[in-house]
Amino acid sequence: MTNLKKTLIQFAKYLIGVLLGFYLIVLVTGEVMGLSAQKAKFLETFPDWTMTLIKHPIHYWWQYVIADHNPLALFGSIAVIGYMVFFALKSSAKHKDWETADTETHGSATWGHLKALLNKSYKESKAKDVSSNFETSLNQDTLKAIKEQEERS
């Protein structure tokens, strides 16, 4: 992927996060405003008021933040933006720690060379010898039980 495409994907993630945060701010602020306006009848009007907030979040966000300067919506929106900026900076810093070099490494682990991995004793042993050595190192009762179970199935 190109850098532009990666950047756009990252931007889209954070934009969706900000929009969801604003959506929650609208719902919370709207419910608080509905409760303050209709204290006695709030439980009766709660479902209708909630559906109105859910259907028109942009209108109510604009009304609460821009038109009315509602402190709950205003500070909530600022907090959402601040949190997303912090999260974006923090996650990009962590992501750089996990980047690997072109030497086929991951973190502090490095891949061994084939000669180092396949030492002289391994090269000289045959597959049958390796298999028989492995089988003798196992508990023979367990090995018999496994073989019998394989034969049954």
Side-chain angles (χ1 to χ4, degrees):
M1 262 197 285
T2 64
N3 280 344
L4 178 63
K5 193 172 184 179
K6 286 181 183 178
T7 304
L8 288 176
I9 289 173
Q10 289 291 356
F11 178 74
K13 287 181 195 177
Y14 296 121
L15 182 64
I16 289 170
V18 167
L19 292 176
L20 286 175
F22 285 170
Y23 193 68
L24 291 175
I25 294 297
V26 165
L27 292 177
V28 170
T29 305
E31 296 302 334
V32 170
M33 297 301 291
L35 180 63
S36 68
Q38 301 176 356
K39 292 177 185 108
K41 298 181 184 178
F42 182 69
L43 291 177
E44 296 170 11
T45 61
F46 179 76
D48 297 331
W49 180 242
T50 303
M51 286 308 294
T52 304
L53 290 172
I54 289 172
K55 289 179 183 177
H56 308 288
I58 296 171
H59 167 75
Y60 284 103
W61 182 84
W62 186 266
Q63 179 181 342
Y64 294 147
V65 174
I66 307 299
D68 295 344
H69 301 293
N70 185 308
L72 181 60
L74 192 63
F75 291 131
S77 297
I78 291 170
V80 165
I81 292 171
Y83 176 75
M84 292 308 284
V85 166
F86 171 76
F87 186 71
L89 294 174
K90 189 77 170 168
S91 69
S92 68
K94 277 188 175 181
H95 181 67
K96 288 179 183 175
D97 292 343
W98 283 95
E99 288 181 3
T100 59
D102 293 335
T103 59
E104 297 181 357
T105 60
H106 180 71
S108 62
T110 57
W111 301 106
H113 297 288
L114 189 59
K115 288 183 180 179
L117 292 174
L118 301 176
N119 58 20
K120 183 179 177 182
S121 63
Y122 181 79
K123 286 181 185 176
E124 292 175 355
S125 62
K126 296 179 180 162
K128 187 167 179 115
D129 294 338
V130 172
S131 174
S132 63
N133 288 341
F134 176 72
E135 287 178 359
T136 56
S137 69
L138 290 176
N139 184 347
Q140 294 301 317
D141 296 332
T142 307
L143 189 60
K144 286 179 186 176
I146 292 172
K147 285 182 180 179
E148 288 174 3
Q149 186 177 7
E150 285 179 1
E151 290 173 0
R152 280 185 258 156
S153 52

